[in-house]
Amino acid sequence: MHDVSTDSDPKPRILIVDDEAALLDLLRDALRFAGYEVATAMTGFAALDQAKTAAFDLVVLDVNLPDLDGFDVCRRIRADGNDVPVVFLTARDDQSDVHQGFTRGGDDYLTKPFSLEELDLRIRAILRRRSSSGSTNGRLECGPVAMDDGEHRVWVGDNEIELSPTEYRLLHYLLLNQGQALSKSQILDHVWRYDFDGRGAVVETYVSYLRRKLDQGSESMIKTVRGIGYALRAPEPPS
């Protein structure tokens, strides 16, 4: 896990909600070591109290809590007008449960058991997306590719290109996570709205479509990361 804090930037504040004391302590210590400021709660009502009285950059929220379930906690947070990102922790792997989590306002989920490194990567990806969307006024760039999300337009160099809705969502997700290796399952979840009952072949197909429209030379910007999936990376400058 990598330290996200710097001398000039404040530490991101994270609220962890889980009723398993041992896991709660482990997550708290690991995320503090990674450079986050961490608060904890063991019940849904305690989490709601903290969310109302303190500002957090992200909430790690267990679904199975002793009073309110995590989905209801997230719904109440959203009802209060709080758009803090929420990462669900769940022992459930049924797709209907996963879909319910996202329709209740969640941003990502991890199925138990999970690795601390994976949780850290998910958190950093969400915080990076929030920072990017807030600092670019809807404009995302990687090498010669630029996207104006407000106007729903894409350029490669000086040339505007036309994308299908699915191609656009795929490029948007890759731009938000540029440089990061994304698995096919992550791409399916985010681009196909979490409820697509498909396989990785559809990701391969749309990556192929997108490559044809983005690539101007022999080097492809969408890299295949063997054994994982894909990553969007700017072309290397000529030596």
Side-chain angles (χ1 to χ4, degrees), residues 6 8 20 22 24 56 61 67 73 87 132 152 165 167 205 215:
T6 68
S8 58
E20 296 180 46
L24 192 67
F56 294 98
L61 178 58
D67 48 0
V73 173
V87 177
S132 296
H152 210 81
E167 290 168 345
T205 299
D215 297 342

Side-chain angles (χ1 to χ4, degrees), residues 7-68:
D7 293 337
S8 58
D9 296 327
K11 294 181 178 181
R13 301 192 71 232
I14 295 179
L15 173 63
I16 307 172
V17 188
D18 200 297
D19 65 332
E20 296 180 46
L23 178 59
L24 192 67
D25 290 344
L26 177 64
L27 295 177
R28 179 196 61 209
D29 293 345
L31 293 180
R32 283 179 178 171
F33 180 77
Y36 302 100
E37 184 178 334
V38 180
T40 61
M42 296 188 71
T43 68
F45 286 117
L48 291 172
D49 287 342
Q50 293 215 45
K52 288 180 179 179
T53 58
F56 294 98
D57 296 292
L58 185 139
V59 178
V60 177
L61 178 58
D62 186 34
V63 171
N64 296 313
L65 295 171
D67 48 0
L68 303 172

Side-chain angles (χ1 to χ4, degrees), residues 171-188:
L171 178 59
H172 188 263
Y173 184 55
L174 292 171
L175 281 166
L176 286 174
N177 295 278
Q178 59 185 276
Q180 300 296 309
L182 302 169
S183 69
K184 292 179 182 178
S185 61
Q186 284 177 297
I187 295 172
L188 275 173

Side-chain angles (χ1 to χ4, degrees), residues 38-204:
V38 180
T40 61
M42 296 188 71
T43 68
F45 286 117
L48 291 172
D49 287 342
Q50 293 215 45
K52 288 180 179 179
T53 58
F56 294 98
D57 296 292
L58 185 139
V59 178
V60 177
L61 178 58
D62 186 34
V63 171
N64 296 313
L65 295 171
D67 48 0
L68 303 172
D69 71 26
F71 298 147
D72 198 24
V73 173
C74 185
R75 181 188 62 79
R76 294 187 186 204
I77 288 175
R78 296 287 181 259
D80 288 335
N82 191 338
D83 67 347
V84 61
V86 173
V87 177
F88 285 116
L89 303 180
T90 177
R92 311 174 184 179
D93 58 4
D94 184 88
Q95 285 301 307
S96 62
D97 285 329
V98 172
H99 180 62
Q100 181 184 13
F102 289 105
T103 58
R104 296 289 183 90
D107 295 86
D108 208 340
Y109 75 97
L110 281 173
T111 302
K112 296 179 180 180
F114 56 87
S115 71
L116 295 174
E117 184 71 20
E118 176 69 8
L119 176 60
D120 183 37
L121 288 172
R122 300 289 184 94
I123 290 173
R124 287 192 289 123
I126 292 173
L127 295 180
R128 184 170 58 251
R129 292 199 296 268
R130 297 273 290 195
S131 176
S132 296
S133 62
S135 62
T136 61
N137 295 319
R139 189 174 179 89
L140 300 169
E141 298 181 357
C142 181
V145 176
M147 171 183 285
D148 188 317
D149 200 31
E151 296 186 5
H152 210 81
R153 300 170 69 187
V154 177
W155 296 265
V156 179
D158 295 328
N159 300 318
E160 186 170 359
I161 62 173
E162 296 293 330
L163 299 179
S164 71
T166 301
E167 290 168 345
Y168 186 93
R169 291 197 302 269
L170 173 58
L171 178 59
H172 188 263
Y173 184 55
L174 292 171
L175 281 166
L176 286 174
N177 295 278
Q178 59 185 276
Q180 300 296 309
L182 302 169
S183 69
K184 292 179 182 178
S185 61
Q186 284 177 297
I187 295 172
L188 275 173
D189 281 348
H190 287 78
V191 176
W192 276 265
R193 306 303 190 195
Y194 305 98
D195 56 358
F196 177 75
D197 186 18
R199 298 293 181 266
V202 72
V203 178
E204 297 172 9

